[in-house]
Amino acid sequence: MPLLDLCRNCASNRGTKDIDISRSYEVLGLPHDTTVDELDETYLQLTLRLSGASGSRNKEESKEQQELLDMAYHNVLARLLKEFREPFKADYSMQQVVNGEDRIQPLSQHDTYMWIPPEAPPSPINPSGSESSLEDLGEAPGFSMNEIEGDIFDAPDRAVLIHAVNCLGVWGNGIAAQFKKAFPAAYAVYRSHCQQANKPYDLIGTCLLIPPQPKDYVQEMTSKRKKNLCGRNGHSSTVVYKKRHWIACLFTSIGFGEPSISGLNPGKDSRTRILIRTQQALEQLRILLEEFQPSNFNPETSWRTDDDKPGEIWCCKFNSGAFEVGWEDTCARVEEEFVGFERPWTVVERVAKDKHGGQV
């Protein structure tokens, strides 16, 4: 039976909201030994077909078929992830490992030709390692979620701006269009990253941390001068440095908006899937940020040691706009993944401004 016909039959005959794992594989037309990549590719193709000419013209029926397809996808994905995360079964007991370590002969300090005395690693503040300690780094404020009203683009220098994105290389509407206008060079990096991926779903659930791009924060301002001795108008140029912002692209949905066959856009993912991918992307973001730690919170020395590192974390209520996912659900994922982190998050509730920059 064709897969779309199977979806139609299942959608019309199911009496409950859940289907078992065997039925899920049957709906997707996949064998039980399928991989995550095969699952994602099949799901993408079926979604495109359901939204295209071969799908139902009845909106209610089409919605039920898509819900069934989503349910089957999540059932199989959950099973694959569970199998992937099965605990490793060691071939040796811990006692055997300890006994083996006892038989290892350490190097003797008297073997001068082999002995290398330990050296203290250089401090991030004083590379010479002469006069410095961890106390010089100041005290980390710790993780918290602080909500303010304002504009995310007013974030301080070196701030990390969180941006939930699709995998198709498009920043089209809403806050995405504002990011594209404010950071055209960062957008070019993001778009190139999407184009270099073999398939869009290779990016889903990942994070791209884009450092500040010079073209985004360095501007050359040109102004006219008064006539010179020869009677000609002159020009003067001044280089202006704006705030440097890191852009953290969280790939939380493959597509965006409504499905489009001509644009090869499967549309925005389901709420459940977006939340799963958000948590995965946040986990990777934390790993990327922790590579720059420990951070220096001493205001007297941080300008020398942390000038090229990410700073504060700012975000709007991402996922709640075009992706239509409640902020409370996304916020819960942030709190789960960043508990114990060294910095707080600043959540910005955007305030409308008039043409003069004042609040409306």
Side-chain angles (χ1 to χ4, degrees):
M1 179 183 294
L3 293 179
L4 294 185
D5 291 341
L6 182 60
C7 283
R8 295 188 183 99
N9 291 340
C10 290
S12 60
N13 296 331
R14 59 180 176 150
T16 63
K17 294 184 178 180
D18 297 323
I19 56 176
D20 58 25
I21 189 65
S22 298
R23 196 63 167 168
S24 298
Y25 278 105
E26 187 179 357
V27 168
L28 293 165
L30 292 172
H32 284 247
D33 59 348
T34 190
T35 64
V36 175
D37 287 343
E38 293 170 344
L39 171 65
D40 279 340
E41 183 173 9
T42 300
Y43 174 79
L44 176 62
Q45 296 300 326
L46 288 176
T47 299
L48 289 172
R49 290 170 61 187
L50 279 175
S51 59
S54 56
S56 174
R57 295 185 179 181
N58 186 309
K59 290 186 177 180
E60 191 64 29
E61 182 182 356
S62 178
K63 181 180 179 181
E64 289 184 359
Q65 293 170 8
Q66 185 62 52
E67 288 178 353
L68 179 69
L69 189 60
D70 290 343
M71 192 181 306
Y73 170 84
H74 293 307
N75 287 347
V76 176
L77 178 63
R79 179 176 183 177
L80 293 177
L81 292 179
K82 182 179 179 181
E83 293 175 353
F84 179 75
R85 293 175 180 174
E86 283 293 329
F88 173 73
K89 297 180 180 179
D91 294 331
Y92 303 96
S93 67
M94 181 56 67
Q95 186 60 45
Q96 289 173 314
V97 173
V98 172
N99 293 340
E101 289 179 345
D102 291 341
R103 292 194 296 270
I104 298 175
Q105 298 296 325
L107 294 175
S108 170
Q109 296 188 27
H110 300 291
D111 298 331
T112 55
Y113 68 99
M114 299 178 66
W115 175 254
I116 301 177
E119 296 181 358
S123 165
I125 295 180
N126 189 350
S128 64
S130 57
E131 298 179 359
S132 180
S133 67
L134 292 178
E135 295 179 357
D136 296 328
L137 298 178
E139 183 178 356
F143 173 74
S144 62
M145 300 284 285
N146 307 317
E147 294 195 14
I148 64 171
E149 291 186 348
D151 190 337
I152 188 174
F153 302 119
D154 292 335
D157 189 44
R158 300 190 300 108
V160 179
L161 307 187
I162 308 298
H163 185 28
V165 300
N166 59 70
C167 302
L168 303 181
V170 177
W171 290 355
N173 299 310
I175 189 66
Q178 296 173 35
F179 265 90
K180 182 178 179 180
K181 181 179 179 181
F183 308 103
Y187 169 72
V189 174
Y190 153 77
R191 183 169 178 80
S192 176
H193 183 70
C194 293
Q195 292 173 341
Q196 291 175 9
N198 292 328
K199 299 172 184 176
Y201 53 78
D202 288 342
L203 302 175
I204 194 69
T206 65
C207 173
L208 172 65
L209 184 59
I210 306 176
Q213 301 296 301
K215 290 183 179 179
D216 288 340
Y217 66 81
V218 179
Q219 285 186 336
E220 185 175 356
M221 309 294 290
T222 303
S223 60
K224 291 184 178 181
R225 294 184 304 182
K226 294 182 179 180
K227 293 183 179 180
N228 55 23
L229 296 177
C230 298
R232 297 178 180 176
N233 290 328
H235 294 82
S236 63
S237 61
T238 304
V239 176
V240 178
Y241 293 89
K242 300 192 299 182
K243 296 175 182 177
R244 299 164 298 171
H245 289 151
W246 296 65
I247 310 298
C249 298
L250 307 182
F251 290 90
T252 61
S253 175
I254 293 180
F256 59 93
E258 297 298 326
S260 171
I261 298 297
S262 59
L264 297 179
N265 172 25
K268 68 176 183 294
D269 290 350
S270 66
R271 171 185 169 277
T272 303
R273 193 177 187 207
I274 287 176
L275 288 174
I276 292 174
R277 302 311 190 185
T278 296
Q279 189 152 5
Q280 294 171 341
L282 287 170
E283 180 180 359
Q284 186 175 6
L285 171 62
R286 177 164 183 170
I287 293 173
L288 293 173
L289 293 176
E290 287 180 341
E291 291 180 356
F292 295 92
Q293 294 180 5
S295 299
N296 184 1
F297 295 96
N298 186 336
E300 297 181 358
T301 56
S302 61
W303 63 273
R304 286 193 286 115
T305 62
D306 284 22
D307 190 61
D308 58 346
K309 293 183 179 181
E312 299 182 17
I313 302 178
W314 281 48
C315 71
C316 57
K317 295 182 177 180
F318 61 95
N319 283 341
S320 63
F323 291 159
E324 299 180 342
V325 176
W327 168 243
E328 295 78 10
D329 296 324
T330 299
C331 183
R333 269 64 180 183
V334 174
E335 292 175 339
E336 181 178 348
E337 290 299 329
F338 275 78
V339 61
F341 192 65
E342 65 174 10
R343 293 182 183 274
W345 279 51
T346 299
V347 183
V348 182
E349 180 73 35
R350 187 170 180 81
V351 176
K353 295 182 179 181
D354 57 24
K355 62 181 180 180
H356 302 295
Q359 294 187 7
V360 177

